[in-house]
Amino acid sequence: SADTAMYHAKAVGRNNLQFYTLGLEQALLERVQLVADLRHALVAEQFVLHYQPQFDAATGRLDAVEALLRWRHPAQGWVAPGRFIPVAEQSGLIGDIGAWVLGQACRQWRQWYEQTGRPDLRVAVNLSAAQLASDGFIEQVDHLLRWHGMPPECLELEITESMLMEDVEQNVERLGALRERGVKLAIDDFGTGYSSLSYLRVLPIDALKLDRSFVHGVETDAGNAAICKSIIALAHNLGLHVVAEGVETEAQRAFLLSQGCDRLQGYLLARPMPPAELRQHAAFP
Ligand code: C2E
Ligand code: MG
Ligand code: MG
Ligand code: MG
């Protein structure tokens, strides 16, 4: 891949000029092309949001839906977020793309509210560090909530652990301002980043999302089961909710339930889907 080529080129350095040139050139070309395509994707309306339900573990009730960005590339077809989100972050495009995601998710909430009359569905949106750090982010959230008549509690923002650790002081302040308004905050992929547990006490958050790598392990690996168990206990002791992601089997669900996990998300329960399909889902209000 482009990243591997870049890495190799750097590692090999100038001693191997031929490899350096070939690897770097190809990597750069691919990267430049992807950035150009990505820049064009917003105006060309190639982005859509899919939504994956999160269920209350105890009652099975639909509690929230996570907005997941999908890019339909005109030549390559669907490109996975794992491939283009990092590029968007490195190229600075994540600001505009993230703003579109947030606006679109809030607009979708409003549409559901008008269709169902139920104001209590929560929409979770993934946030990049650059978005949270950007000037005017809080105002953007304020504006969207006001514009759509959306209760702040219906918006949940997910931020990965590693992103939060980039500038803890500023992030704590920003998150605090959001939380004061009633917006819900969750740490995504918890357990995979460089987590300093002492930060958990100062971060103004509501929930931890247990990374799916641990969830997958619970069936086969006693160590992973112990990690899941411990994270759930830790979160509860700190007054936080726990959302398990990537729940794929009955055994995983049973284990998480037995440990008092609050919310479940995963293919076993529902896949990410376009809004039209979500409305047909049995659990949708
Ligand atoms: P994430 O926020 O941790 O989202 C959960 C990912 O796990 C999604 O992948 C979802 O489709 C996948 N998933 C859900 N249930 C299961 C399951 O049971 N098994 C397995 N194997 N996977 C499951 P997706 O949609 O490919 O997104 C990947 C990542 O891209 C997200 O991870 C998130 O970090 C990022 N991302 C997606 N949309 C956005 C966005 O709008 N903004 C930002 N900044 N990042 C986004
Ligand atoms: Mg997420
Ligand atoms: Mg996650
Ligand atoms: Mg994850």
Side-chain angles (χ1 to χ4, degrees), residues 66 68 126 158 160 187-190 209-212 243 245-246 265:
E66 179 177 5
L68 293 161
N126 292 286
E158 297 187 2
T160 62
I187 299 190
D188 209 344
D189 302 344
F190 186 78
K209 292 194 77 178
L210 191 53
D211 191 70
R212 69 167 181 263
V243 187
E245 56 176 34
Q265 176 179 4

Side-chain angles (χ1 to χ4, degrees), residues 220-256:
T220 50
D221 187 323
N224 270 350
I227 290 175
C228 281
K229 210 169 155 168
S230 307
I231 291 179
I232 293 170
L234 171 73
H236 286 167
N237 285 331
L238 290 168
L240 305 172
H241 287 110
V242 184
V243 187
E245 56 176 34
V247 183
E248 290 184 353
T249 67
E250 268 308 335
Q252 290 163 3
R253 169 164 50 188
F255 176 83
L256 292 161

